[in-house]
Amino acid sequence: MKTKNGLAPFLPFAFFCLFVGVSFFVTPLLWAQNTGTSSKKAEKHYEEAMQSFKIRNFEKGIYELKKAVQNDPDYFDAHYELANNYKILNKTKEHLIHLRKAAQLNPQDSRFSDMYFQYGEVLLLQDGDYTEAEAQFSKYLTMKKEGRYSKMAVKHLATCKYALEGMKNPLKFEPKQMPDPLNQFPLQYFPVATADDEEMYFTARLSNQRKDYEDIYHTRKIDGVWQAPTLVEDLNTPFNEGTCSISADGKTMIFTVCEGVPERRVIGRCDLFISYKKGDKWTKPQNLGENVNSTAWDTQPSLSADGRTLYFISDRKTAQTIGGIDIWYSQLQADGEWSPAQNLGIPINTAGHEVGVFIHTNGRTLYFASDTHIGYGSYDLFKAEKLPDGTWEKPQNLGYPINTFSDQSGIFVSADGKKGYYSDLKMDDENMFYSYLFEFELPQEAQAKTQSRYVKGTIYDAQTKRPLGAKIELYNLETQKPESLLASDDKNGSYLFVMNEGGKYALNVNKESYLFESQSFDFSKEAQNLTIDFYLKKIEKGSKVVLSNIFFETAKWDLKSESITELDLVVKYLKENPSIKIEIAGHTDNVGSQASNQNLSEKRAQAVVEYLKDKGIAQERLIAKGYGQTQPAHPNDNDENRAKNRRIEFEIL
């Protein structure tokens, strides 16, 4: 999430492929005769340094310049050249020391106006000194209102003012390095987790040397404790694999590949590949193809919870391109192909760079990093909410101290919106990079407006108890539209899907030659994570299932609009199985008289049959029957059980 010294926050792919940060330029000395010192010794060392630099002997040149400032501590030329050469060598501490000294020695010389801009950038992006940086940018603009860095100086001035104001109201932000046995590598970054927060994948390198390639690692939480990470052998090769994203259930992964090998052909500099988890094994990765990948740099994927919408980063140049690096997206179509990638557009993308994209499990909140939206430095983290019409609201800066003068990028937020994961990149005195995984409680101001909850479990054959692979459809009962479509694992029967708070949902589980099962969820009230197993019955005489998503007003038999989704699924099921006949049975609890309950159950059953007939199901295939309170599924001893007894059942005749 945080970087120093301008290293691009988009680490993979490959780790050192892009370098973004403080501008570097060398302004030639404008006085050839006056070297700015009265010390002959200092002048001699300076001249020897210049000769050394001509033959690229930086070590000797810096040595001579240091001797020059020892002889004359106020020697502007020597400090200025030391600053420039330390910048070339990426010695940030020394660069700042001598640049500061040079600016102090020559504070108002318009011939060196670019130096004040450079000094302001160093103060802003390396030191976080917004007050002094603001003064330097103002000084530069006073001298060069139309200078080559004027537009950037104006932007930096706005950053300084924004940061100084934002720091007056800091958010509660207390990141903690994730405990052992995690963080055992010199470099690990871009963590992603399943919606239940039980599994995590991340990219790691065995050392911070180029000779070690990136690989994808996996860790699992057991009894609340993360286990030692293991290499995902099914996906890794002797080359680079990294920057992955997974669906909420952890069964679909998209990751980045840059080196083409015979079994993994790449279209561009880096491509996105997809793999599916079957049991404990991942399938052979497949290139997502030209609808997604380009001849450019395509990386940093973020997959929606249901695995059907993909967001990613690309620097491709097309008619849609807005900036240097933009966020793009593609959607999985009914035929199993991914749609042609589209630029996410304004107001998300800018003329600059947007990286580190993450779509929350709610499908409505986008987190990303930008170096152009107003913030605290170079790359800041932002979030934006998707509006009902499909457009995006203006991005919101996550605030201080989540964002600082250092680069921030690559955040993952849990389904409930309360926890964040990221990697923190550091550089040591030897210019070696290290990064470790951190977690933190996300401040309320930075949380998604809509939180998510998950439902998970296993689907079995009711008789044999054998795990089944089955199709699972989730519908929004208020809109009567499908929200997601997924399948349970055909090896172990497991499933997991996400629902957003504030809605009512219907779940339909079906498999060929089995009777379907349904379940309803009211998340319009307080929601919680659930574990539910389903036992599917074979289609045979006497098999029955509760239609959990048929709703009536109290003591009435008029079908509520929320019932339409389930009723249409019954219609579809009967049309796909034209030989079966069914009984629709109505049941009540024991509240009220037995006679009134009998009458109510009969009329409710008949209301369902009439709907099915209106949709084209023949009368001779349908029987409506009411059982009143005579066949309770549970004791009528509390409100929850009585609600379960008020039901419509579907039985094969």
mmCIF file of all heavy atoms in Angstrom, residues 165-198:
data_model
loop_
_atom_site.group_PDB
_atom_site.id
_atom_site.type_symbol
_atom_site.label_atom_id
_atom_site.label_comp_id
_atom_site.label_asym_id
_atom_site.label_seq_id
_atom_site.Cartn_x
_atom_site.Cartn_y
_atom_site.Cartn_z
ATOM 1 N N GLU A 165 -5.352 20.722 5.275
ATOM 2 C CA GLU A 165 -6.708 20.787 5.810
ATOM 3 C C GLU A 165 -7.166 19.420 6.292
ATOM 4 O O GLU A 165 -7.749 19.273 7.373
ATOM 5 C CB GLU A 165 -7.660 21.315 4.726
ATOM 6 C CG GLU A 165 -9.076 21.590 5.213
ATOM 7 C CD GLU A 165 -9.143 22.694 6.261
ATOM 8 O OE1 GLU A 165 -8.272 23.595 6.235
ATOM 9 O OE2 GLU A 165 -10.071 22.647 7.105
ATOM 10 N N GLY A 166 -6.893 18.372 5.494
ATOM 11 C CA GLY A 166 -7.328 17.029 5.862
ATOM 12 C C GLY A 166 -6.657 16.495 7.104
ATOM 13 O O GLY A 166 -7.260 15.723 7.865
ATOM 14 N N MET A 167 -5.431 16.875 7.338
ATOM 15 C CA MET A 167 -4.692 16.385 8.501
ATOM 16 C C MET A 167 -5.222 16.953 9.810
ATOM 17 O O MET A 167 -4.855 16.466 10.887
ATOM 18 C CB MET A 167 -3.208 16.708 8.341
ATOM 19 C CG MET A 167 -2.534 15.910 7.231
ATOM 20 S SD MET A 167 -0.842 16.455 6.876
ATOM 21 C CE MET A 167 -0.006 16.005 8.398
ATOM 22 N N LYS A 168 -6.079 17.956 9.717
ATOM 23 C CA LYS A 168 -6.662 18.518 10.941
ATOM 24 C C LYS A 168 -7.661 17.543 11.573
ATOM 25 O O LYS A 168 -7.947 17.633 12.769
ATOM 26 C CB LYS A 168 -7.364 19.836 10.627
ATOM 27 C CG LYS A 168 -6.430 20.956 10.177
ATOM 28 C CD LYS A 168 -7.218 22.205 9.827
ATOM 29 C CE LYS A 168 -6.315 23.339 9.338
ATOM 30 N NZ LYS A 168 -7.106 24.546 8.955
ATOM 31 N N ASN A 169 -8.199 16.624 10.766
ATOM 32 C CA ASN A 169 -9.192 15.663 11.266
ATOM 33 C C ASN A 169 -8.785 14.246 10.872
ATOM 34 O O ASN A 169 -9.407 13.611 10.014
ATOM 35 C CB ASN A 169 -10.576 15.992 10.688
ATOM 36 C CG ASN A 169 -11.064 17.359 11.098
ATOM 37 O OD1 ASN A 169 -11.366 17.602 12.259
ATOM 38 N ND2 ASN A 169 -11.120 18.271 10.127
ATOM 39 N N PRO A 170 -7.724 13.723 11.501
ATOM 40 C CA PRO A 170 -7.234 12.387 11.125
ATOM 41 C C PRO A 170 -8.226 11.285 11.484
ATOM 42 O O PRO A 170 -8.955 11.373 12.471
ATOM 43 C CB PRO A 170 -5.944 12.254 11.936
ATOM 44 C CG PRO A 170 -6.142 13.166 13.112
ATOM 45 C CD PRO A 170 -6.947 14.319 12.599
ATOM 46 N N LEU A 171 -8.249 10.250 10.649
ATOM 47 C CA LEU A 171 -9.080 9.085 10.906
ATOM 48 C C LEU A 171 -8.348 8.140 11.852
ATOM 49 O O LEU A 171 -7.123 8.181 11.984
ATOM 50 C CB LEU A 171 -9.376 8.351 9.593
ATOM 51 C CG LEU A 171 -10.056 9.161 8.491
ATOM 52 C CD1 LEU A 171 -10.181 8.310 7.243
ATOM 53 C CD2 LEU A 171 -11.422 9.637 8.948
ATOM 54 N N LYS A 172 -9.102 7.264 12.483
ATOM 55 C CA LYS A 172 -8.484 6.239 13.313
ATOM 56 C C LYS A 172 -7.953 5.148 12.396
ATOM 57 O O LYS A 172 -8.713 4.462 11.711
ATOM 58 C CB LYS A 172 -9.492 5.654 14.301
ATOM 59 C CG LYS A 172 -8.875 4.644 15.268
ATOM 60 C CD LYS A 172 -9.898 4.115 16.254
ATOM 61 C CE LYS A 172 -9.253 3.122 17.217
ATOM 62 N NZ LYS A 172 -10.253 2.570 18.184
ATOM 63 N N PHE A 173 -6.647 5.006 12.366
ATOM 64 C CA PHE A 173 -6.000 4.067 11.456
ATOM 65 C C PHE A 173 -4.833 3.430 12.185
ATOM 66 O O PHE A 173 -3.819 4.074 12.443
ATOM 67 C CB PHE A 173 -5.533 4.811 10.200
ATOM 68 C CG PHE A 173 -4.808 3.942 9.209
ATOM 69 C CD1 PHE A 173 -5.423 2.834 8.646
ATOM 70 C CD2 PHE A 173 -3.513 4.259 8.814
ATOM 71 C CE1 PHE A 173 -4.751 2.050 7.719
ATOM 72 C CE2 PHE A 173 -2.837 3.490 7.892
ATOM 73 C CZ PHE A 173 -3.464 2.376 7.342
ATOM 74 N N GLU A 174 -4.979 2.151 12.538
ATOM 75 C CA GLU A 174 -3.964 1.461 13.327
ATOM 76 C C GLU A 174 -3.620 0.128 12.668
ATOM 77 O O GLU A 174 -4.015 -0.939 13.127
ATOM 78 C CB GLU A 174 -4.476 1.236 14.756
ATOM 79 C CG GLU A 174 -4.800 2.536 15.489
ATOM 80 C CD GLU A 174 -5.439 2.302 16.847
ATOM 81 O OE1 GLU A 174 -5.803 1.141 17.136
ATOM 82 O OE2 GLU A 174 -5.570 3.263 17.611
ATOM 83 N N PRO A 175 -2.871 0.172 11.561
ATOM 84 C CA PRO A 175 -2.519 -1.076 10.860
ATOM 85 C C PRO A 175 -1.603 -1.955 11.692
ATOM 86 O O PRO A 175 -0.745 -1.461 12.439
ATOM 87 C CB PRO A 175 -1.828 -0.571 9.595
ATOM 88 C CG PRO A 175 -1.294 0.777 9.959
ATOM 89 C CD PRO A 175 -2.283 1.362 10.926
ATOM 90 N N LYS A 176 -1.782 -3.266 11.561
ATOM 91 C CA LYS A 176 -0.950 -4.229 12.279
ATOM 92 C C LYS A 176 -0.373 -5.221 11.275
ATOM 93 O O LYS A 176 -1.094 -5.737 10.420
ATOM 94 C CB LYS A 176 -1.777 -4.974 13.334
ATOM 95 C CG LYS A 176 -2.345 -4.075 14.423
ATOM 96 C CD LYS A 176 -3.178 -4.888 15.408
ATOM 97 C CE LYS A 176 -3.771 -3.990 16.492
ATOM 98 N NZ LYS A 176 -4.621 -4.765 17.436
ATOM 99 N N GLN A 177 0.913 -5.469 11.411
ATOM 100 C CA GLN A 177 1.533 -6.460 10.542
ATOM 101 C C GLN A 177 0.941 -7.820 10.855
ATOM 102 O O GLN A 177 0.796 -8.204 12.019
ATOM 103 C CB GLN A 177 3.050 -6.480 10.742
ATOM 104 C CG GLN A 177 3.785 -7.408 9.788
ATOM 105 C CD GLN A 177 5.283 -7.203 9.822
ATOM 106 O OE1 GLN A 177 5.751 -6.069 9.754
ATOM 107 N NE2 GLN A 177 6.040 -8.282 9.942
ATOM 108 N N MET A 178 0.557 -8.565 9.817
ATOM 109 C CA MET A 178 -0.071 -9.861 10.038
ATOM 110 C C MET A 178 0.929 -10.810 10.698
ATOM 111 O O MET A 178 2.128 -10.790 10.394
ATOM 112 C CB MET A 178 -0.601 -10.422 8.725
ATOM 113 C CG MET A 178 -1.695 -9.545 8.120
ATOM 114 S SD MET A 178 -2.522 -10.273 6.694
ATOM 115 C CE MET A 178 -3.497 -11.553 7.507
ATOM 116 N N PRO A 179 0.464 -11.641 11.616
ATOM 117 C CA PRO A 179 1.365 -12.432 12.463
ATOM 118 C C PRO A 179 1.985 -13.622 11.726
ATOM 119 O O PRO A 179 1.557 -14.005 10.633
ATOM 120 C CB PRO A 179 0.434 -12.910 13.583
ATOM 121 C CG PRO A 179 -0.905 -13.019 12.913
ATOM 122 C CD PRO A 179 -0.955 -11.863 11.937
ATOM 123 N N ASP A 180 3.005 -14.195 12.357
ATOM 124 C CA ASP A 180 3.574 -15.452 11.874
ATOM 125 C C ASP A 180 2.465 -16.514 11.842
ATOM 126 O O ASP A 180 1.546 -16.459 12.661
ATOM 127 C CB ASP A 180 4.695 -15.906 12.814
ATOM 128 C CG ASP A 180 5.898 -14.966 12.766
ATOM 129 O OD1 ASP A 180 6.029 -14.248 11.762
ATOM 130 O OD2 ASP A 180 6.670 -14.944 13.740
ATOM 131 N N PRO A 181 2.541 -17.427 10.892
ATOM 132 C CA PRO A 181 3.654 -17.697 9.969
ATOM 133 C C PRO A 181 3.573 -16.933 8.649
ATOM 134 O O PRO A 181 4.261 -17.278 7.691
ATOM 135 C CB PRO A 181 3.522 -19.198 9.718
ATOM 136 C CG PRO A 181 2.043 -19.422 9.763
ATOM 137 C CD PRO A 181 1.514 -18.501 10.823
ATOM 138 N N LEU A 182 2.725 -15.903 8.561
ATOM 139 C CA LEU A 182 2.724 -15.057 7.381
ATOM 140 C C LEU A 182 3.940 -14.135 7.407
ATOM 141 O O LEU A 182 4.663 -14.069 8.402
ATOM 142 C CB LEU A 182 1.433 -14.249 7.304
ATOM 143 C CG LEU A 182 0.132 -15.062 7.237
ATOM 144 C CD1 LEU A 182 -1.073 -14.142 7.129
ATOM 145 C CD2 LEU A 182 0.159 -16.040 6.077
ATOM 146 N N ASN A 183 4.135 -13.427 6.308
ATOM 147 C CA ASN A 183 5.261 -12.495 6.180
ATOM 148 C C ASN A 183 6.612 -13.173 6.369
ATOM 149 O O ASN A 183 7.533 -12.630 6.981
ATOM 150 C CB ASN A 183 5.110 -11.332 7.169
ATOM 151 C CG ASN A 183 4.011 -10.380 6.764
ATOM 152 O OD1 ASN A 183 3.900 -10.003 5.608
ATOM 153 N ND2 ASN A 183 3.179 -10.006 7.720
ATOM 154 N N GLN A 184 6.737 -14.357 5.801
ATOM 155 C CA GLN A 184 8.007 -15.079 5.918
ATOM 156 C C GLN A 184 8.932 -14.836 4.728
ATOM 157 O O GLN A 184 10.065 -15.315 4.714
ATOM 158 C CB GLN A 184 7.757 -16.585 6.055
ATOM 159 C CG GLN A 184 7.037 -17.218 4.881
ATOM 160 C CD GLN A 184 6.858 -18.706 5.070
ATOM 161 O OE1 GLN A 184 7.596 -19.500 4.512
ATOM 162 N NE2 GLN A 184 5.894 -19.079 5.892
ATOM 163 N N PHE A 185 8.448 -14.073 3.728
ATOM 164 C CA PHE A 185 9.254 -13.775 2.551
ATOM 165 C C PHE A 185 9.738 -12.319 2.590
ATOM 166 O O PHE A 185 9.115 -11.478 3.232
ATOM 167 C CB PHE A 185 8.436 -13.996 1.275
ATOM 168 C CG PHE A 185 7.772 -15.348 1.205
ATOM 169 C CD1 PHE A 185 6.406 -15.469 1.411
ATOM 170 C CD2 PHE A 185 8.514 -16.490 0.940
ATOM 171 C CE1 PHE A 185 5.787 -16.700 1.357
ATOM 172 C CE2 PHE A 185 7.906 -17.727 0.879
ATOM 173 C CZ PHE A 185 6.537 -17.838 1.093
ATOM 174 N N PRO A 186 10.813 -12.011 1.873
ATOM 175 C CA PRO A 186 11.235 -10.604 1.804
ATOM 176 C C PRO A 186 10.196 -9.716 1.131
ATOM 177 O O PRO A 186 10.056 -8.553 1.478
ATOM 178 C CB PRO A 186 12.527 -10.666 0.968
ATOM 179 C CG PRO A 186 13.016 -12.068 1.121
ATOM 180 C CD PRO A 186 11.782 -12.909 1.221
ATOM 181 N N LEU A 187 9.453 -10.292 0.172
ATOM 182 C CA LEU A 187 8.444 -9.528 -0.554
ATOM 183 C C LEU A 187 7.162 -10.343 -0.673
ATOM 184 O O LEU A 187 7.167 -11.469 -1.163
ATOM 185 C CB LEU A 187 8.945 -9.174 -1.961
ATOM 186 C CG LEU A 187 10.096 -8.181 -2.053
ATOM 187 C CD1 LEU A 187 10.745 -8.247 -3.426
ATOM 188 C CD2 LEU A 187 9.602 -6.771 -1.771
ATOM 189 N N GLN A 188 6.051 -9.775 -0.187
ATOM 190 C CA GLN A 188 4.718 -10.344 -0.381
ATOM 191 C C GLN A 188 3.737 -9.189 -0.482
ATOM 192 O O GLN A 188 3.837 -8.212 0.249
ATOM 193 C CB GLN A 188 4.315 -11.297 0.736
ATOM 194 C CG GLN A 188 4.563 -10.807 2.141
ATOM 195 C CD GLN A 188 5.780 -11.453 2.750
ATOM 196 O OE1 GLN A 188 5.803 -12.645 2.955
ATOM 197 N NE2 GLN A 188 6.791 -10.658 3.060
ATOM 198 N N TYR A 189 2.803 -9.303 -1.415
ATOM 199 C CA TYR A 189 1.949 -8.145 -1.684
ATOM 200 C C TYR A 189 0.675 -8.576 -2.384
ATOM 201 O O TYR A 189 0.500 -9.722 -2.788
ATOM 202 C CB TYR A 189 2.688 -7.097 -2.520
ATOM 203 C CG TYR A 189 3.651 -7.656 -3.529
ATOM 204 C CD1 TYR A 189 3.221 -8.096 -4.773
ATOM 205 C CD2 TYR A 189 5.014 -7.758 -3.239
ATOM 206 C CE1 TYR A 189 4.100 -8.618 -5.699
ATOM 207 C CE2 TYR A 189 5.906 -8.284 -4.158
ATOM 208 C CZ TYR A 189 5.442 -8.713 -5.390
ATOM 209 O OH TYR A 189 6.318 -9.241 -6.302
ATOM 210 N N PHE A 190 -0.250 -7.608 -2.547
ATOM 211 C CA PHE A 190 -1.557 -7.783 -3.173
ATOM 212 C C PHE A 190 -2.323 -8.983 -2.605
ATOM 213 O O PHE A 190 -2.636 -9.939 -3.315
ATOM 214 C CB PHE A 190 -1.419 -7.897 -4.695
ATOM 215 C CG PHE A 190 -1.236 -6.572 -5.368
ATOM 216 C CD1 PHE A 190 -0.091 -6.292 -6.093
ATOM 217 C CD2 PHE A 190 -2.197 -5.587 -5.265
ATOM 218 C CE1 PHE A 190 0.096 -5.058 -6.712
ATOM 219 C CE2 PHE A 190 -2.032 -4.351 -5.880
ATOM 220 C CZ PHE A 190 -0.886 -4.087 -6.601
ATOM 221 N N PRO A 191 -2.676 -8.947 -1.309
ATOM 222 C CA PRO A 191 -3.465 -10.035 -0.736
ATOM 223 C C PRO A 191 -4.932 -9.943 -1.153
ATOM 224 O O PRO A 191 -5.485 -8.850 -1.300
ATOM 225 C CB PRO A 191 -3.321 -9.798 0.772
ATOM 226 C CG PRO A 191 -3.146 -8.308 0.892
ATOM 227 C CD PRO A 191 -2.340 -7.907 -0.322
ATOM 228 N N VAL A 192 -5.570 -11.094 -1.370
ATOM 229 C CA VAL A 192 -7.005 -11.176 -1.630
ATOM 230 C C VAL A 192 -7.550 -12.334 -0.810
ATOM 231 O O VAL A 192 -6.858 -13.320 -0.568
ATOM 232 C CB VAL A 192 -7.315 -11.384 -3.125
ATOM 233 C CG1 VAL A 192 -6.904 -10.165 -3.933
ATOM 234 C CG2 VAL A 192 -6.632 -12.636 -3.673
ATOM 235 N N ALA A 193 -8.812 -12.223 -0.382
ATOM 236 C CA ALA A 193 -9.393 -13.235 0.500
ATOM 237 C C ALA A 193 -10.788 -13.620 0.025
ATOM 238 O O ALA A 193 -11.450 -12.863 -0.694
ATOM 239 C CB ALA A 193 -9.450 -12.722 1.943
ATOM 240 N N THR A 194 -11.231 -14.795 0.441
ATOM 241 C CA THR A 194 -12.597 -15.216 0.167
ATOM 242 C C THR A 194 -13.554 -14.420 1.047
ATOM 243 O O THR A 194 -13.150 -13.805 2.035
ATOM 244 C CB THR A 194 -12.761 -16.716 0.442
ATOM 245 O OG1 THR A 194 -12.248 -17.011 1.753
ATOM 246 C CG2 THR A 194 -11.998 -17.544 -0.584
ATOM 247 N N ALA A 195 -14.835 -14.447 0.696
ATOM 248 C CA ALA A 195 -15.818 -13.629 1.413
ATOM 249 C C ALA A 195 -15.958 -14.036 2.871
ATOM 250 O O ALA A 195 -16.300 -13.205 3.720
ATOM 251 C CB ALA A 195 -17.172 -13.712 0.712
ATOM 252 N N ASP A 196 -15.704 -15.310 3.188
ATOM 253 C CA ASP A 196 -15.799 -15.751 4.583
ATOM 254 C C ASP A 196 -14.513 -15.502 5.361
ATOM 255 O O ASP A 196 -14.414 -15.866 6.534
ATOM 256 C CB ASP A 196 -16.199 -17.222 4.658
ATOM 257 C CG ASP A 196 -15.197 -18.149 3.985
ATOM 258 O OD1 ASP A 196 -14.178 -17.654 3.464
ATOM 259 O OD2 ASP A 196 -15.448 -19.371 3.955
ATOM 260 N N ASP A 197 -13.510 -14.893 4.701
ATOM 261 C CA ASP A 197 -12.238 -14.555 5.345
ATOM 262 C C ASP A 197 -11.529 -15.788 5.885
ATOM 263 O O ASP A 197 -10.802 -15.723 6.872
ATOM 264 C CB ASP A 197 -12.458 -13.538 6.468
ATOM 265 C CG ASP A 197 -11.190 -12.742 6.779
ATOM 266 O OD1 ASP A 197 -10.439 -12.443 5.840
ATOM 267 O OD2 ASP A 197 -10.950 -12.429 7.967
ATOM 268 N N GLU A 198 -11.706 -16.913 5.204
ATOM 269 C CA GLU A 198 -11.092 -18.162 5.636
ATOM 270 C C GLU A 198 -9.906 -18.556 4.769
ATOM 271 O O GLU A 198 -9.106 -19.403 5.158
ATOM 272 C CB GLU A 198 -12.128 -19.295 5.615
ATOM 273 C CG GLU A 198 -13.268 -19.124 6.614
ATOM 274 C CD GLU A 198 -12.815 -19.257 8.053
ATOM 275 O OE1 GLU A 198 -11.892 -20.046 8.310
ATOM 276 O OE2 GLU A 198 -13.373 -18.558 8.916
#
